[in-house]
Amino acid sequence: MNRVIHKIKYQMKRSKLVLSLYSFYLRAKEKLTYNLLNKKAIKNYKEELRIVRSGKIKIGFLLQDLNVWNKESSIAKVLFNDDRFDVYLICLPGAFNDDRIVVRLNENYNNVIEEYSCQRCKIINAFENNKFIDLRKLKLSYLFYTRPYNNFLPKEYRSYNTSRYLKICYTQYAIILDNNLYKDLCKIDFFRNVYAVYASTMDEEKYIQNRISKMGMSEYQKSKYFGYAAAATFLDQKINGKSAWPENVGQNRIVWTPRWSENNFGRYGKYIIEYAKKRNDIFILHRPHPLTLGTYLQTGKMTEKEVEQYKLLVNSNNSKLDESKEYGATFWQSTLLITDYSSIIFEYFLTGKPIIFCPSKEIIYSPIGLFEEMLKYCYIAKNWSEIQQTIDMLLSGDDFKKNEREYFIKKEFGLDYFNAPDKIVNDIYEDYIFHGNKIRN
């Protein structure tokens, strides 16, 4: 019996040793791969730096998802009116699976042609004759990506390939307000090849600079904070945007923006519909995240019949389902926002209007400094009773955080904050000159 026990213990120790060695091997392999890829990124940067350019500065935008294109379009609009640049809008399908197209190009391509054909730019179809064009032939100096995901791109357009012959620029399509989001929105396989990250917040700038330093890439990459580029578009929509509010709707306009990854949509949806029924002096716009209804169908939380019933109820009782792409004018013309965790909080905050924030029971937040500060000027509601009480209070005119909120907005942002696109364009021009490229007319 003792021999058997001894043998079992020996085998267990041996298994632990094997697992320990294997774990060490995996860590060593991961570190070696990490260092090799960093060296390759540096090699690509040096290769790009040797390219001699002349003429106007050629800058492109890789348009893969029009839902997030409005985050960078403000930069393009500044460039359209700047004779120092030639601008290329490069359209390609939205997603791939082993480089096979799974989302067609035509819709995106036609929308871009319709909107920008009158601008001083060149619109490029990246997928012609059943193959992708060679971007090197465009002789671009800089290229903005609209999303930081290499896995959605064909191999020839992934950052580790294009960085050999142009400088990649990037600004986030979503404001990072939570530490957990950095891993999702700052994928290392994409960012190690990005030359210039134009951070939307000071917190993001510090995070990117710290990562660049740890990678030993300080000489080859940079992160600069000029403000949120999309804020310029958001401000423009205040005057020129199209609102989703129906005609003849009164002043008490409420927007509700639940996310798909949390259950606040299912938790509060029926209460919000019933609340709108009871009050004829309000109108509630339901604007769930675009993935919400699809996710609820896939996970079985709702059936197709229930989705249709939801849409019918929403569109018939002092409320409406808003599925439009633009939301800037809708926000500016609203009274208050009910939301859970989303970067929409940041944009709506710029309006100075009150926000009712509903924490989720499903997600543990790790807010960064700016978001923590912003939450102080929001109203926190943890259940429907608190949401209703807060709505009633605000609609009665008791917005006791208003003065502090408006002061914080002026102090933290100010009008200069909306000039980020101009600052980014000037930085690109100065970078071009600094690296010895001469512009010849």
Side-chain angles (χ1 to χ4, degrees), residues 84 139-140 171 187 192 321 348 355 397 427:
R84 297 174 297 181
K139 297 183 178 180
L140 301 174
T171 182
K187 300 288 187 185
R192 65 160 44 93
L321 179 63
Y348 196 89
I355 297 172
D427 183 74

Side-chain angles (χ1 to χ4, degrees), residues 4-21:
V4 173
I5 293 173
H6 179 73
K7 187 175 181 181
I8 291 172
K9 287 183 177 179
Y10 172 75
Q11 289 175 341
M12 288 177 67
K13 286 181 180 180
R14 186 178 179 184
S15 296
K16 287 181 180 179
L17 178 62
V18 171
L19 286 172
S20 179
L21 289 172

Side-chain angles (χ1 to χ4, degrees), residues 185-322:
L185 294 177
C186 298
K187 300 288 187 185
I188 188 65
D189 72 307
F190 174 80
F191 273 90
R192 65 160 44 93
N193 298 285
V194 176
Y195 169 69
V197 179
Y198 293 109
S200 300
T201 65
M202 286 185 281
D203 293 304
E204 183 190 346
E205 180 189 41
K206 290 176 184 176
Y207 176 87
I208 297 296
Q209 285 180 344
N210 184 51
R211 173 186 275 185
I212 289 172
S213 177
K214 285 183 177 179
M215 292 168 58
M217 302 277 284
S218 298
E219 188 180 346
Y220 312 104
Q221 294 180 293
K222 63 180 181 180
S223 174
K224 290 191 174 183
Y225 167 67
F226 294 130
Y228 187 34
T233 302
F234 188 65
L235 182 62
D236 178 68
Q237 288 175 346
K238 181 179 181 180
I239 302 170
N240 301 315
K242 185 178 179 180
S243 167
W245 298 107
E247 293 183 8
N248 303 319
V249 173
Q251 294 301 309
N252 295 327
R253 302 177 176 189
I254 300 171
V255 185
W256 181 42
T257 59
R259 278 182 59 80
W260 62 273
S261 57
E262 306 174 38
N263 198 35
N264 283 346
F265 175 74
R267 186 173 291 121
Y268 301 130
K270 60 182 179 182
Y271 294 110
I272 289 177
I273 291 172
E274 287 299 316
Y275 184 75
K277 274 186 188 179
K278 295 174 183 177
R279 291 194 58 162
N280 291 323
D281 61 329
I282 67 169
F283 195 92
I284 300 179
L285 205 65
H286 291 231
R287 189 182 170 86
H289 188 283
L291 295 177
T292 302
L293 294 176
T295 300
Y296 270 61
L297 279 171
Q298 289 177 359
T299 57
K301 290 181 179 179
M302 292 180 77
T303 63
E304 290 186 12
K305 186 177 180 180
E306 287 171 331
V307 169
E308 290 305 314
Q309 288 175 339
Y310 162 73
K311 289 182 177 181
L312 285 172
L313 285 170
V314 169
N315 290 318
S316 61
N317 296 289
N318 299 324
S319 60
K320 175 187 172 183
L321 179 63
D322 177 21

Side-chain angles (χ1 to χ4, degrees), residues 415-440:
L415 288 175
D416 189 52
Y417 185 80
F418 294 94
N419 295 329
D422 296 279
K423 295 175 187 175
I424 290 171
V425 169
N426 287 334
D427 183 74
I428 291 172
Y429 180 78
E430 289 172 6
D431 180 86
Y432 188 85
I433 297 299
F434 177 78
H435 284 98
N437 297 298
K438 293 183 179 180
I439 301 174
R440 303 167 189 159

Side-chain angles (χ1 to χ4, degrees), residues 23 78 187 247 327 357-358 426 439:
S23 178
V78 171
K187 300 288 187 185
E247 293 183 8
Y327 52 83
F357 177 70
C358 309
N426 287 334
I439 301 174

